[in-house]
Amino acid sequence: ADPAVLAEAAAHQDRLTKPRGSLGVLEEVAVRLAGSAGVSPPPMPVPAALAIFAADHGVYVRGVSPWPQEVTGQMVANFLAGGAVANAFAAQMGASVTVVDVGVAGDLPPGDGLLVRKVARGTADLSRGPAMTREQVVAALETGIAVAADLLAAGARCLVAGDMGIANTTASAALICAYCDADPEGATGRGTGIDDETHTHKIDIVREALAVNRSLCEAGPLDTLRAVGGLEHAAIAGFILKAAASRVPVILDGVIAGAAALAAAALAPAAVDHCVAGHRSAEPGHRLALDHLGLRPLVDLELRLGEGTGALLAHPLVCAAVRVMQDVATFDAAGVTDKEA
Amino acid sequence: ADPAVLAEAAAHQDRLTKPRGSLGVLEEVAVRLAGSAGVSPPPMPVPAALAIFAADHGVYVRGVSPWPQEVTGQMVANFLAGGAVANAFAAQMGASVTVVDVGVAGDLPPGDGLLVRKVARGTADLSRGPAMTREQVVAALETGIAVAADLLAAGARCLVAGDMGIANTTASAALICAYCDADPEGATGRGTGIDDETHTHKIDIVREALAVNRSLCEAGPLDTLRAVGGLEHAAIAGFILKAAASRVPVILDGVIAGAAALAAAALAPAAVDHCVAGHRSAEPGHRLALDHLGLRPLVDLELRLGEGTGALLAHPLVCAAVRVMQDVATFDAAGVTDKEA
């Protein structure tokens, strides 16, 4: 982010007809977006484009989710038919929806809005060894970069990162532990809803994954990602890196995007300047990830759905923050008396 | 709210293609709106209409605000010129803006979007006696009812209550203390930004107001409102009551609308079923008011601006919650396998 632009944006906030600081977190968001774009006021982050990266996880076989694995593909079909919550929220916010099969286990029927970019039919079981090969993690990263590039070329001025994949909160917890040096017990949640017994088992699986992949996780951020991540985590990390390189904001969804953002930040720390934390999910690891990234979430409503839903809810708030910078009158221009010093 | 409709709405939520409960607070919002409207799914709360009720406060003379009193009228002119944050947010959310002079001290030049409904040129000083006469409080309530009725007749399907008035957080704190039986120290905040000394003074003023008006506050909810409220509080209470009677949701803004909602709820408890808490402001009394009303705020970003800004931010979230009920496919219809029991 450009320090001169950050200072200019903060000074502009203080001239607007409102008590200074009275827009709370939204003032910081607008200033950060100015720094990201390199211009104050920043451009409106519209249109927004949601990309849902779908992939399966080898760790599914360890019994970490109560959902059948075929639900990943079934939900892709639901996205394409417009029947999922992400579709409803995207319609509400005026965002386009692109679904990317970066690693779904089953074959998906082609459909409008589906990009088949299958790097593998799901990852290997991260509790028994690396989830991905070096070639796979690079291919998935490049897929995310390419998807972002295409959406930007088509006119998107705000990217929204979503995910779909049964068992992906397990890989997210492992990534968060690895990147934040956190304990699996504090970082592993109940995903879409599991009982106490399965939760305990899931924590053990994350612990096993970290133990079996220890040397790889210590080798560097890309190896960490391939050791305990998912294909959609790698793709979302690439998506974030491309948004950052293009100085376009990317709104992060919940724990999957948060874990992917940790990977992106480990690879290129400045990428965080271009990220907005859309919401805080109910997953405990998400809080750890956001704290590590230094991001404050805009929406905090106990969502735990994924798909980009929490990020989409934040989009109008981000737009509102930018619109203030563009539209609101200054004390001088409006003839409003300023507060006594 | 209709219990059968509430049950039907909750059952419908559980059939949709998402893990049960995964939309967190938004599931409750959608169910409440169904109960409010008496139909599931509830209608989309669009278009939204913001009414900003502007008024001055006699307690201003006690030095509770660092802003000159003429800022109330200056900000009304700013609203009419489209230069305030409320205008920017309303434009973002597609809401109309109506400004109601229910008691500004100065004369306002007529303008498009301004309704001059001056009940008095500000209230009397509530720290020395009742802020309003019985006739005044009734006239202000009726003003709010009439404004809501006109907006509904013009097609609004969601009302948004905003406020403008220098010193109105002082009256709000007094109302919250009176309706919630709270102590002024815990209920009185820094409004738009005051130093420690003024804050301590403001707490004392609220304490004086409650003492001098004790018998009136004990006489009943309408007398409480006239004793320590503002003309905009009374108008917003009427606005809420009319929305409730019409089964149209009303999104509350911050501490001023929260205090007014306490008055509305004291007059007609069922009115709360039709209220959505748009946000939680930085004012400590607002938390007390929301807890008393049993409402959970949707946006919590340390806003302390008023004007309806926090409520406007919540509007797309409410729309998203309703759209889920209307648009999202069921497990059966989408061919998505449900979670194992």
Side-chain angles (χ1 to χ4, degrees), chain A residues 225-298:
Chain A
L225 180 57
R226 87 172 177 93
V228 297
L231 291 156
E232 75 277 54
H233 292 101
I236 293 173
F239 189 74
I240 292 168
L241 292 173
K242 178 61 185 171
S246 308
R247 312 196 79 153
V248 167
V250 54
I251 309 182
L252 306 177
D253 193 38
V255 72
I256 285 84
L262 290 172
L267 292 165
V272 178
D273 293 345
H274 307 272
C275 294
V276 174
H279 87 125
R280 169 155 46 217
S281 90
E283 284 287 291
H286 193 211
R287 182 182 295 261
L288 298 173
L290 293 176
D291 287 350
H292 191 87
L293 294 164
L295 295 175
R296 171 150 177 180
L298 297 182

Side-chain angles (χ1 to χ4, degrees), chain A residues 288-328:
Chain A
L288 298 173
L290 293 176
D291 287 350
H292 191 87
L293 294 164
L295 295 175
R296 171 150 177 180
L298 297 182
V299 171
D300 192 0
L301 295 173
E302 295 172 24
L303 267 63
R304 49 184 175 81
L305 178 54
E307 305 179 356
T309 51
L312 288 167
L313 290 178
H315 184 251
L317 308 186
V318 177
C319 291
V322 173
R323 202 179 269 265
V324 166
M325 295 279 278
Q326 294 196 346
D327 288 3
V328 171

Side-chain angles (χ1 to χ4, degrees), chain B residues 259-288:
Chain B
L262 289 172
L267 292 165
V272 177
D273 293 344
H274 307 271
C275 293
V276 174
H279 86 127
R280 169 155 44 218
S281 91
E283 284 287 291
H286 194 210
R287 184 182 294 262
L288 297 173

Side-chain angles (χ1 to χ4, degrees), chain B residues 11 23 131 137 202 208 210 213-214 219 234-235 252 264 279 288 299 326 329:
Chain B
L23 287 178
V137 74
K202 186 173 168 183
E208 284 180 38
L210 294 167
N213 287 295
R214 178 161 302 144
L252 305 178
H279 86 127
L288 297 173
V299 172
Q326 293 195 347

Side-chain angles (χ1 to χ4, degrees), chain B residues 182-272:
Chain B
D183 187 81
E185 186 150 3
T188 308
R190 289 167 189 273
T192 48
I194 52 177
D195 60 20
D196 287 351
E197 192 185 347
T198 309
H199 186 215
T200 303
H201 174 63
K202 186 173 168 183
I203 294 168
D204 289 341
I205 296 293
V206 172
R207 216 179 284 286
E208 284 180 38
L210 294 167
V212 75
N213 287 295
R214 178 161 302 144
S215 62
L216 253 190
C217 286
E218 287 168 356
L222 191 62
D223 282 318
T224 301
L225 180 58
R226 87 172 177 93
V228 296
L231 292 155
E232 75 278 54
H233 292 102
I236 293 173
F239 189 74
I240 292 168
L241 292 173
K242 179 60 185 172
S246 307
R247 312 196 78 154
V248 167
V250 55
I251 308 183
L252 305 178
D253 193 37
V255 71
I256 285 84
L262 289 172
L267 292 165
V272 177

